[in-house]
PDB file of all heavy atoms in Angstrom:
ATOM      1  N   ASP H 469      51.583 -52.646 -66.803  1.00  0.00           N
ATOM      2  CA  ASP H 469      51.450 -53.923 -66.104  1.00  0.00           C
ATOM      3  C   ASP H 469      50.536 -54.838 -66.918  1.00  0.00           C
ATOM      4  O   ASP H 469      49.378 -54.503 -67.181  1.00  0.00           O
ATOM      5  CB  ASP H 469      50.857 -53.683 -64.710  1.00  0.00           C
ATOM      6  CG  ASP H 469      50.787 -54.954 -63.882  1.00  0.00           C
ATOM      7  OD1 ASP H 469      51.168 -56.017 -64.405  1.00  0.00           O
ATOM      8  OD2 ASP H 469      50.355 -54.883 -62.723  1.00  0.00           O
ATOM      9  N   PRO H 470      51.006 -56.036 -67.327  1.00  0.00           N
ATOM     10  CA  PRO H 470      50.146 -56.946 -68.100  1.00  0.00           C
ATOM     11  C   PRO H 470      48.857 -57.299 -67.371  1.00  0.00           C
ATOM     12  O   PRO H 470      47.832 -57.538 -68.020  1.00  0.00           O
ATOM     13  CB  PRO H 470      51.036 -58.180 -68.299  1.00  0.00           C
ATOM     14  CG  PRO H 470      52.428 -57.674 -68.179  1.00  0.00           C
ATOM     15  CD  PRO H 470      52.373 -56.568 -67.178  1.00  0.00           C
ATOM     16  N   LEU H 471      48.881 -57.347 -66.038  1.00  0.00           N
ATOM     17  CA  LEU H 471      47.664 -57.653 -65.288  1.00  0.00           C
ATOM     18  C   LEU H 471      46.612 -56.567 -65.474  1.00  0.00           C
ATOM     19  O   LEU H 471      45.408 -56.839 -65.413  1.00  0.00           O
ATOM     20  CB  LEU H 471      47.989 -57.825 -63.811  1.00  0.00           C
ATOM     21  CG  LEU H 471      48.884 -59.006 -63.442  1.00  0.00           C
ATOM     22  CD1 LEU H 471      49.077 -59.079 -61.935  1.00  0.00           C
ATOM     23  CD2 LEU H 471      48.313 -60.320 -63.966  1.00  0.00           C
ATOM     24  N   ASP H 472      47.049 -55.341 -65.711  1.00  0.00           N
ATOM     25  CA  ASP H 472      46.117 -54.249 -65.981  1.00  0.00           C
ATOM     26  C   ASP H 472      45.392 -54.490 -67.303  1.00  0.00           C
ATOM     27  O   ASP H 472      44.186 -54.266 -67.414  1.00  0.00           O
ATOM     28  CB  ASP H 472      46.875 -52.921 -66.013  1.00  0.00           C
ATOM     29  CG  ASP H 472      45.941 -51.729 -66.135  1.00  0.00           C
ATOM     30  OD1 ASP H 472      45.356 -51.331 -65.119  1.00  0.00           O
ATOM     31  OD2 ASP H 472      45.803 -51.201 -67.254  1.00  0.00           O
ATOM     32  N   ASP H 473      46.113 -54.970 -68.309  1.00  0.00           N
ATOM     33  CA  ASP H 473      45.493 -55.259 -69.613  1.00  0.00           C
ATOM     34  C   ASP H 473      44.550 -56.451 -69.521  1.00  0.00           C
ATOM     35  O   ASP H 473      43.513 -56.480 -70.186  1.00  0.00           O
ATOM     36  CB  ASP H 473      46.589 -55.514 -70.651  1.00  0.00           C
ATOM     37  CG  ASP H 473      47.527 -54.330 -70.789  1.00  0.00           C
ATOM     38  OD1 ASP H 473      47.064 -53.240 -71.147  1.00  0.00           O
ATOM     39  OD2 ASP H 473      48.728 -54.494 -70.525  1.00  0.00           O
ATOM     40  N   LEU H 474      44.895 -57.434 -68.693  1.00  0.00           N
ATOM     41  CA  LEU H 474      44.009 -58.582 -68.516  1.00  0.00           C
ATOM     42  C   LEU H 474      42.712 -58.169 -67.821  1.00  0.00           C
ATOM     43  O   LEU H 474      41.640 -58.679 -68.148  1.00  0.00           O
ATOM     44  CB  LEU H 474      44.721 -59.669 -67.710  1.00  0.00           C
ATOM     45  CG  LEU H 474      45.760 -60.484 -68.483  1.00  0.00           C
ATOM     46  CD1 LEU H 474      46.660 -61.256 -67.532  1.00  0.00           C
ATOM     47  CD2 LEU H 474      45.072 -61.443 -69.455  1.00  0.00           C
ATOM     48  N   TYR H 475      42.807 -57.249 -66.859  1.00  0.00           N
ATOM     49  CA  TYR H 475      41.582 -56.762 -66.228  1.00  0.00           C
ATOM     50  C   TYR H 475      40.687 -56.078 -67.255  1.00  0.00           C
ATOM     51  O   TYR H 475      39.473 -56.320 -67.309  1.00  0.00           O
ATOM     52  CB  TYR H 475      41.891 -55.796 -65.083  1.00  0.00           C
ATOM     53  CG  TYR H 475      40.672 -54.983 -64.729  1.00  0.00           C
ATOM     54  CD1 TYR H 475      39.610 -55.559 -64.034  1.00  0.00           C
ATOM     55  CD2 TYR H 475      40.521 -53.660 -65.177  1.00  0.00           C
ATOM     56  CE1 TYR H 475      38.463 -54.846 -63.763  1.00  0.00           C
ATOM     57  CE2 TYR H 475      39.378 -52.941 -64.899  1.00  0.00           C
ATOM     58  CZ  TYR H 475      38.345 -53.536 -64.197  1.00  0.00           C
ATOM     59  OH  TYR H 475      37.189 -52.828 -63.959  1.00  0.00           O
ATOM     60  N   ASP H 476      41.274 -55.192 -68.073  1.00  0.00           N
ATOM     61  CA  ASP H 476      40.478 -54.506 -69.095  1.00  0.00           C
ATOM     62  C   ASP H 476      39.813 -55.516 -70.019  1.00  0.00           C
ATOM     63  O   ASP H 476      38.654 -55.348 -70.412  1.00  0.00           O
ATOM     64  CB  ASP H 476      41.369 -53.565 -69.905  1.00  0.00           C
ATOM     65  CG  ASP H 476      41.748 -52.313 -69.129  1.00  0.00           C
ATOM     66  OD1 ASP H 476      41.040 -51.978 -68.165  1.00  0.00           O
ATOM     67  OD2 ASP H 476      42.756 -51.674 -69.486  1.00  0.00           O
ATOM     68  N   MET H 477      40.550 -56.564 -70.369  1.00  0.00           N
ATOM     69  CA  MET H 477      40.014 -57.575 -71.280  1.00  0.00           C
ATOM     70  C   MET H 477      38.744 -58.216 -70.718  1.00  0.00           C
ATOM     71  O   MET H 477      37.721 -58.320 -71.392  1.00  0.00           O
ATOM     72  CB  MET H 477      41.080 -58.638 -71.544  1.00  0.00           C
ATOM     73  CG  MET H 477      40.613 -59.820 -72.383  1.00  0.00           C
ATOM     74  SD  MET H 477      39.838 -61.142 -71.404  1.00  0.00           S
ATOM     75  CE  MET H 477      41.224 -61.702 -70.423  1.00  0.00           C
ATOM     76  N   ILE H 478      38.780 -58.656 -69.456  1.00  0.00           N
ATOM     77  CA  ILE H 478      37.609 -59.343 -68.900  1.00  0.00           C
ATOM     78  C   ILE H 478      36.487 -58.353 -68.577  1.00  0.00           C
ATOM     79  O   ILE H 478      35.301 -58.683 -68.669  1.00  0.00           O
ATOM     80  CB  ILE H 478      37.989 -60.178 -67.661  1.00  0.00           C
ATOM     81  CG1 ILE H 478      36.820 -61.095 -67.282  1.00  0.00           C
ATOM     82  CG2 ILE H 478      38.419 -59.312 -66.497  1.00  0.00           C
ATOM     83  CD1 ILE H 478      37.165 -62.106 -66.209  1.00  0.00           C
ATOM     84  N   ALA H 479      36.847 -57.111 -68.240  1.00  0.00           N
ATOM     85  CA  ALA H 479      35.814 -56.097 -68.009  1.00  0.00           C
ATOM     86  C   ALA H 479      35.076 -55.799 -69.316  1.00  0.00           C
ATOM     87  O   ALA H 479      33.847 -55.674 -69.336  1.00  0.00           O
ATOM     88  CB  ALA H 479      36.436 -54.827 -67.441  1.00  0.00           C
ATOM     89  N   TYR H 480      35.819 -55.672 -70.419  1.00  0.00           N
ATOM     90  CA  TYR H 480      35.182 -55.477 -71.722  1.00  0.00           C
ATOM     91  C   TYR H 480      34.292 -56.668 -72.069  1.00  0.00           C
ATOM     92  O   TYR H 480      33.184 -56.503 -72.599  1.00  0.00           O
ATOM     93  CB  TYR H 480      36.243 -55.328 -72.816  1.00  0.00           C
ATOM     94  CG  TYR H 480      37.114 -54.103 -72.711  1.00  0.00           C
ATOM     95  CD1 TYR H 480      38.357 -54.051 -73.353  1.00  0.00           C
ATOM     96  CD2 TYR H 480      36.728 -52.992 -71.969  1.00  0.00           C
ATOM     97  CE1 TYR H 480      39.172 -52.934 -73.262  1.00  0.00           C
ATOM     98  CE2 TYR H 480      37.537 -51.876 -71.872  1.00  0.00           C
ATOM     99  CZ  TYR H 480      38.760 -51.855 -72.521  1.00  0.00           C
ATOM    100  OH  TYR H 480      39.567 -50.754 -72.425  1.00  0.00           O
ATOM    101  N   ALA H 481      34.775 -57.868 -71.765  1.00  0.00           N
ATOM    102  CA  ALA H 481      34.037 -59.077 -72.129  1.00  0.00           C
ATOM    103  C   ALA H 481      32.666 -59.106 -71.473  1.00  0.00           C
ATOM    104  O   ALA H 481      31.634 -59.255 -72.148  1.00  0.00           O
ATOM    105  CB  ALA H 481      34.846 -60.317 -71.738  1.00  0.00           C
ATOM    106  N   TYR H 482      32.639 -58.944 -70.161  1.00  0.00           N
ATOM    107  CA  TYR H 482      31.368 -59.093 -69.458  1.00  0.00           C
ATOM    108  C   TYR H 482      30.409 -57.959 -69.776  1.00  0.00           C
ATOM    109  O   TYR H 482      29.215 -58.175 -69.995  1.00  0.00           O
ATOM    110  CB  TYR H 482      31.616 -59.156 -67.953  1.00  0.00           C
ATOM    111  CG  TYR H 482      30.377 -59.487 -67.160  1.00  0.00           C
ATOM    112  CD1 TYR H 482      29.666 -60.657 -67.409  1.00  0.00           C
ATOM    113  CD2 TYR H 482      29.904 -58.623 -66.177  1.00  0.00           C
ATOM    114  CE1 TYR H 482      28.523 -60.960 -66.691  1.00  0.00           C
ATOM    115  CE2 TYR H 482      28.759 -58.926 -65.450  1.00  0.00           C
ATOM    116  CZ  TYR H 482      28.073 -60.100 -65.713  1.00  0.00           C
ATOM    117  OH  TYR H 482      26.939 -60.396 -65.003  1.00  0.00           O
ATOM    118  N   ASN H 483      30.906 -56.744 -69.848  1.00  0.00           N
ATOM    119  CA  ASN H 483      30.023 -55.607 -70.078  1.00  0.00           C
ATOM    120  C   ASN H 483      29.552 -55.518 -71.517  1.00  0.00           C
ATOM    121  O   ASN H 483      28.442 -55.048 -71.778  1.00  0.00           O
ATOM    122  CB  ASN H 483      30.728 -54.325 -69.648  1.00  0.00           C
ATOM    123  CG  ASN H 483      30.813 -54.208 -68.141  1.00  0.00           C
ATOM    124  OD1 ASN H 483      29.885 -53.766 -67.488  1.00  0.00           O
ATOM    125  ND2 ASN H 483      31.937 -54.651 -67.574  1.00  0.00           N
ATOM    126  N   THR H 484      30.359 -55.963 -72.457  1.00  0.00           N
ATOM    127  CA  THR H 484      29.901 -56.005 -73.840  1.00  0.00           C
ATOM    128  C   THR H 484      28.829 -57.068 -74.001  1.00  0.00           C
ATOM    129  O   THR H 484      27.848 -56.886 -74.737  1.00  0.00           O
ATOM    130  CB  THR H 484      31.077 -56.296 -74.779  1.00  0.00           C
ATOM    131  OG1 THR H 484      32.083 -55.291 -74.606  1.00  0.00           O
ATOM    132  CG2 THR H 484      30.632 -56.296 -76.236  1.00  0.00           C
ATOM    133  N   TYR H 485      29.006 -58.179 -73.305  1.00  0.00           N
ATOM    134  CA  TYR H 485      27.993 -59.236 -73.347  1.00  0.00           C
ATOM    135  C   TYR H 485      26.654 -58.738 -72.797  1.00  0.00           C
ATOM    136  O   TYR H 485      25.582 -59.107 -73.286  1.00  0.00           O
ATOM    137  CB  TYR H 485      28.491 -60.430 -72.537  1.00  0.00           C
ATOM    138  CG  TYR H 485      27.504 -61.557 -72.449  1.00  0.00           C
ATOM    139  CD1 TYR H 485      27.276 -62.390 -73.537  1.00  0.00           C
ATOM    140  CD2 TYR H 485      26.799 -61.810 -71.274  1.00  0.00           C
ATOM    141  CE1 TYR H 485      26.372 -63.432 -73.459  1.00  0.00           C
ATOM    142  CE2 TYR H 485      25.890 -62.843 -71.182  1.00  0.00           C
ATOM    143  CZ  TYR H 485      25.687 -63.656 -72.282  1.00  0.00           C
ATOM    144  OH  TYR H 485      24.792 -64.682 -72.199  1.00  0.00           O
ATOM    145  N   LEU H 486      26.731 -57.870 -71.774  1.00  0.00           N
ATOM    146  CA  LEU H 486      25.500 -57.361 -71.170  1.00  0.00           C
ATOM    147  C   LEU H 486      24.879 -56.197 -71.937  1.00  0.00           C
ATOM    148  O   LEU H 486      23.680 -55.947 -71.822  1.00  0.00           O
ATOM    149  CB  LEU H 486      25.784 -56.891 -69.738  1.00  0.00           C
ATOM    150  CG  LEU H 486      26.202 -57.951 -68.721  1.00  0.00           C
ATOM    151  CD1 LEU H 486      26.492 -57.288 -67.391  1.00  0.00           C
ATOM    152  CD2 LEU H 486      25.135 -59.020 -68.563  1.00  0.00           C
ATOM    153  N   ALA H 487      25.684 -55.473 -72.704  1.00  0.00           N
ATOM    154  CA  ALA H 487      25.203 -54.247 -73.346  1.00  0.00           C
ATOM    155  C   ALA H 487      24.221 -54.561 -74.464  1.00  0.00           C
ATOM    156  O   ALA H 487      24.551 -55.240 -75.423  1.00  0.00           O
ATOM    157  CB  ALA H 487      26.382 -53.454 -73.894  1.00  0.00           C
ATOM    158  N   GLU H 488      23.032 -54.051 -74.362  1.00  0.00           N
ATOM    159  CA  GLU H 488      21.984 -54.331 -75.348  1.00  0.00           C
ATOM    160  C   GLU H 488      22.325 -53.771 -76.720  1.00  0.00           C
ATOM    161  O   GLU H 488      22.025 -54.374 -77.749  1.00  0.00           O
ATOM    162  CB  GLU H 488      20.653 -53.726 -74.880  1.00  0.00           C
ATOM    163  CG  GLU H 488      20.096 -54.336 -73.617  1.00  0.00           C
ATOM    164  CD  GLU H 488      19.593 -55.748 -73.836  1.00  0.00           C
ATOM    165  OE1 GLU H 488      19.302 -56.095 -75.003  1.00  0.00           O
ATOM    166  OE2 GLU H 488      19.498 -56.503 -72.856  1.00  0.00           O
ATOM    167  N   ALA H 489      22.961 -52.613 -76.766  1.00  0.00           N
ATOM    168  CA  ALA H 489      23.160 -51.915 -78.039  1.00  0.00           C
ATOM    169  C   ALA H 489      24.111 -52.636 -78.973  1.00  0.00           C
ATOM    170  O   ALA H 489      24.091 -52.402 -80.168  1.00  0.00           O
ATOM    171  CB  ALA H 489      23.679 -50.507 -77.786  1.00  0.00           C
ATOM    172  N   VAL H 490      24.954 -53.505 -78.455  1.00  0.00           N
ATOM    173  CA  VAL H 490      25.954 -54.124 -79.323  1.00  0.00           C
ATOM    174  C   VAL H 490      25.752 -55.628 -79.445  1.00  0.00           C
ATOM    175  O   VAL H 490      26.585 -56.319 -79.983  1.00  0.00           O
ATOM    176  CB  VAL H 490      27.377 -53.854 -78.776  1.00  0.00           C
ATOM    177  CG1 VAL H 490      27.679 -52.376 -78.799  1.00  0.00           C
ATOM    178  CG2 VAL H 490      27.549 -54.401 -77.364  1.00  0.00           C
ATOM    179  N   LYS H 491      24.592 -56.129 -78.965  1.00  0.00           N
ATOM    180  CA  LYS H 491      24.408 -57.570 -79.005  1.00  0.00           C
ATOM    181  C   LYS H 491      24.105 -58.044 -80.421  1.00  0.00           C
ATOM    182  O   LYS H 491      23.176 -57.564 -81.058  1.00  0.00           O
ATOM    183  CB  LYS H 491      23.267 -57.981 -78.070  1.00  0.00           C
ATOM    184  CG  LYS H 491      23.665 -57.922 -76.597  1.00  0.00           C
ATOM    185  CD  LYS H 491      22.598 -58.527 -75.725  1.00  0.00           C
ATOM    186  CE  LYS H 491      23.025 -58.524 -74.273  1.00  0.00           C
ATOM    187  NZ  LYS H 491      22.005 -59.136 -73.399  1.00  0.00           N
ATOM    188  N   PRO H 492      24.870 -59.016 -80.931  1.00  0.00           N
ATOM    189  CA  PRO H 492      24.566 -59.575 -82.246  1.00  0.00           C
ATOM    190  C   PRO H 492      23.402 -60.553 -82.161  1.00  0.00           C
ATOM    191  O   PRO H 492      22.799 -60.741 -81.105  1.00  0.00           O
ATOM    192  CB  PRO H 492      25.872 -60.281 -82.622  1.00  0.00           C
ATOM    193  CG  PRO H 492      26.490 -60.633 -81.313  1.00  0.00           C
ATOM    194  CD  PRO H 492      26.088 -59.563 -80.361  1.00  0.00           C
ATOM    195  N   GLU H 493      23.115 -61.175 -83.301  1.00  0.00           N
ATOM    196  CA  GLU H 493      21.919 -62.005 -83.393  1.00  0.00           C
ATOM    197  C   GLU H 493      21.895 -63.136 -82.372  1.00  0.00           C
ATOM    198  O   GLU H 493      20.859 -63.420 -81.782  1.00  0.00           O
ATOM    199  CB  GLU H 493      21.811 -62.585 -84.811  1.00  0.00           C
ATOM    200  CG  GLU H 493      21.515 -61.541 -85.877  1.00  0.00           C
ATOM    201  CD  GLU H 493      20.152 -60.891 -85.650  1.00  0.00           C
ATOM    202  OE1 GLU H 493      19.220 -61.595 -85.216  1.00  0.00           O
ATOM    203  OE2 GLU H 493      20.040 -59.681 -85.881  1.00  0.00           O
TER     204      GLU H 493
END
Side-chain angles (χ1 to χ4, degrees):
D469 184 358
L471 295 182
D472 186 79
D473 301 300
L474 284 165
Y475 162 74
D476 286 339
M477 175 274 295
I478 191 171
Y480 295 160
Y482 187 57
N483 287 276
T484 302
Y485 177 75
L486 295 178
E488 295 289 339
V490 296
K491 285 189 177 181
E493 292 296 324

